[in-house]
């Protein structure tokens, strides 16, 4: 088993966090297109759509089984300085995949904090607001079933 050096682990955790935000961003990433595409880049792998098999486990710890297939779009870009960005996003949005790969590449550079502040922080805030709104909508329709026990006699 290959171990990740301790110094690389914080960078890996940061990258996982921003990739999660970018993958969930969907159409909310499009307003940043001009800013992202202003940086010189080339496609290593053009955005392409395919299918992946989703695996699951009953109860989280049971035997794995194939749940079904899911459509994903992937893209790989390379900046002029050689930094490579990757993305896999749910669905068929080629634009989303390309912009997410571009953002990933830019976030790996020395000026990553600039991109964190400009893109990741606002997108994450939008995601949190969306999920809070959805929870409130679902909570408003929640029904609490209470069982009354009648005394004998």
């Amino acid at each position: 088993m290959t171990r990740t050096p301790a110094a690389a682990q914080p960078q890996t955790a940061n990258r996982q966090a921003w990739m999660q935000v970018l993958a969930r961003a969907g159409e909310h990433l499009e307003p940043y297109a001009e800013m992202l595409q202003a940086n010189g880049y080339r496609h290593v792998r053009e955005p392409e759509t395919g299918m992946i098999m989703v695996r699951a486990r009953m109860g989280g710890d049971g035997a794995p089984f194939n749940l079904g297939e899911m459509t994903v779009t992937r893209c790989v870009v390379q900046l002029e300085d050689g930094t490579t960005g990757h993305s896999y996003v749910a669905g068929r949005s080629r634009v989303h995949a390309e912009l997410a790969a571009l953002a990933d590449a830019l976030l790996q550079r020395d000026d990553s904090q600039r991109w964190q502040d400009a893109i990741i922080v606002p997108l994450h805030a939008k995601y949190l607001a969306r999920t809070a709104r959805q929870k409130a909508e679902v909570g408003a329709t929640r029904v609490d079933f209470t069982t009354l026990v009648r005394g004998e006699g």
Side-chain angles (χ1 to χ4, degrees), residues 106-117:
L106 291 166
L107 284 157
Q108 293 178 64
R109 298 188 336 180
D110 291 336
D111 62 344
S112 66
Q113 190 59 49
R114 170 184 168 225
W115 297 102
Q116 282 278 349
D117 296 341

Side-chain angles (χ1 to χ4, degrees), residues 8-22:
Q9 289 175 348
Q11 177 61 25
T12 300
N14 289 339
R15 190 169 184 202
Q16 288 172 341
W18 78 58
M19 293 296 284
Q20 184 178 48
V21 170
L22 293 169

